[in-house]
Amino acid sequence: MRIDFGPGIEWGGLSQAQCECMARDDRHPLTYRVYFAALWRANQIGHAEFRMGELAGILAGDDGVIPSRQSVTNAVGRAKALSLIGYDSTARCLTLPHHHFQKGGRGGRRCSVHGDASPWIHVA
């Protein structure tokens, strides 16, 4: 997939491996850790899928305490409210808007959670 944000729009790359480190780093607020998790796991259509309860495990603190389901849901909601992730995001699949994230190379083009093979769900 060719990365194209439009005429005259500058862009740069990021390390998805570094995003994983940031998602797991409990020095950051949960809202931003959710965003980093989305960047880390995003496929070619901007969907980042997680197994049931997996996101909570990723967001565990250094002390090993896993955030409650409600804490994870609230963090996802705050990330949506800040337009960091798509409005259709859940703890099972975090989505990224096309105007913010594009990916070439590896990664699927389907989402088993949303049943969506088309790229890029719009943000609210």
Side-chain angles (χ1 to χ4, degrees):
M1 174 187 247
R2 183 173 170 266
I3 296 173
D4 183 7
F5 288 98
I9 304 292
E10 292 189 35
W11 63 276
L14 61 83
S15 163
Q16 286 184 292
Q18 184 61 30
C19 289
E20 176 185 4
C21 294
M22 302 290 273
R24 295 182 184 279
D25 186 342
D26 72 355
R27 293 176 301 166
H28 299 288
L30 279 181
T31 300
Y32 291 99
R33 292 175 66 197
V34 165
Y35 172 62
F36 289 129
L39 291 170
W40 159 37
R41 285 281 186 90
N43 65 14
Q44 287 194 25
I45 62 166
H47 286 241
E49 293 184 64
F50 300 90
R51 293 181 310 277
M52 186 69 72
E54 183 182 12
L55 183 58
I58 290 164
L59 300 176
D62 285 341
D63 55 6
V65 175
I66 296 173
S68 69
R69 184 178 184 171
Q70 190 60 50
S71 291
V72 173
T73 299
N74 290 345
V76 169
R78 287 190 301 273
K80 287 194 264 188
L82 291 170
S83 297
L84 296 172
I85 58 177
Y87 72 89
D88 58 343
S89 293
T90 68
R92 292 287 320 281
C93 180
L94 305 171
T95 63
L96 293 165
H98 184 65
H99 68 270
H100 180 75
F101 179 89
Q102 296 178 33
K103 180 177 180 175
R106 290 192 224 169
R109 293 177 182 245
R110 300 206 182 281
C111 177
S112 64
V113 174
H114 290 100
D116 184 13
S118 63
W120 317 113
I121 303 298
H122 302 289
V123 293

